Amino acid sequence: LVAVHSVDLNITTDVALKFPDRYRLDVEHEGYSNMSGYFVNDFTLEEVKQLRVKQRVEDTEARSRVFDWLFDVPTLGEIMDLMASWDNDVL
């Protein structure tokens, strides 16, 4: 399992640069039709881990773009490990 904001990887990653041929048109997803994009379920974990993430919203006081493209898409396990390390090492 990976932790992503949306099923369309184009919203928060550089998927269009790394996998331009994987764009799909007119997809039905969870009751919505005519969706288009780069859907996370079309990629292997190895492929998703090649992507880099960015902020979903514009630069604000709460969300800086300084970290855009520095990190890959985290797995649920990686997030759980991070939270455990914070419990043990930070708090």
Side-chain angles (χ1 to χ4, degrees):
L1 293 174
V2 293
V4 291
H5 175 76
S6 170
V7 296
D8 183 0
L9 292 169
N10 198 44
I11 294 172
T12 56
T13 76
D14 58 352
V15 68
L17 295 173
K18 294 186 177 167
F19 298 98
D21 60 327
R22 303 288 283 282
Y23 189 81
R24 290 202 300 148
L25 295 170
D26 298 326
V27 175
E28 185 169 326
H29 178 74
E30 294 182 4
Y32 296 99
S33 59
N34 299 323
M35 290 182 66
S36 300
Y38 297 87
F39 298 98
V40 67
N41 53 304
D42 292 336
F43 294 84
T44 65
L45 178 58
E46 182 178 301
E47 290 170 331
V48 170
K49 293 302 280 179
Q50 294 177 45
L51 304 176
R52 293 292 185 220
V53 295
K54 66 174 183 166
Q55 283 288 345
R56 185 179 62 85
V57 296
E58 293 300 316
D59 213 3
T60 67
E61 287 184 30
R63 296 181 181 212
S64 171
R65 293 205 177 265
V66 71
F67 297 108
D68 281 2
W69 315 120
L70 296 180
F71 301 99
D72 63 4
V73 177
T75 64
L76 180 59
E78 289 169 340
I79 291 172
M80 292 173 66
D81 290 345
L82 177 64
M83 297 305 293
S85 74
W86 285 356
D87 276 350
N88 295 330
D89 301 330
V90 177
L91 300 178

